[in-house]
Amino acid sequence: SEGYRSPFIGYISSGECHVLRKVDVPHSNKTTGLKEKRMRQVVVGKMKKNESFGEISVTLREPMSCSIVTETPCKIGIILCEKISSKI
């Protein structure tokens, strides 16, 4: 999930996933008439077979910049953080 460190690197062996990102979207409040910003998740990309995710989060120990959600049934292999050299 976006904003959290990934506990693994994921490799998609079958299926498709959506790449989601939180963005501020302008919204008019019908009650007050004021314009507000609301946070929405939007699809910014798609991942498919033979693609991977989480590498940057795991190797740099940084939060993920997006969320990955399955679009179709998927088979995903994972490499846990503990299995990766701490010298990275």
Side-chain angles (χ1 to χ4, degrees):
S1 291
E2 181 178 355
Y4 294 92
R5 278 183 46 195
S6 180
F8 58 82
I9 295 172
Y11 176 81
I12 302 168
S13 59
S14 70
E16 293 184 351
C17 297
H18 280 249
V19 179
L20 303 174
R21 184 102 193 229
K22 292 179 185 173
V23 296
D24 282 328
V25 178
H27 173 76
S28 294
N29 185 318
K30 292 180 182 178
T31 306
T32 64
L34 298 173
K35 292 193 182 236
E36 305 171 340
K37 287 186 180 181
R38 288 194 179 172
M39 192 68 81
R40 299 270 188 213
Q41 279 194 320
V42 296
V43 176
V44 295
K46 188 180 276 195
M47 299 184 76
K48 55 189 184 297
K49 182 179 178 177
N50 298 328
E51 294 185 309
S52 60
F53 57 90
E55 306 93 324
I56 294 171
S57 179
V58 169
T59 57
L60 299 180
R61 296 181 177 93
E62 297 280 339
M64 291 186 63
S65 60
C66 57
S67 296
I68 309 298
V69 178
T70 60
E71 178 184 5
T72 64
C74 293
K75 287 187 180 179
I76 299 175
I78 62 170
I79 302 170
L80 296 172
C81 289
E82 306 87 62
K83 301 296 182 185
I84 299 172
S85 173
S86 62
K87 296 179 183 179
I88 296 177

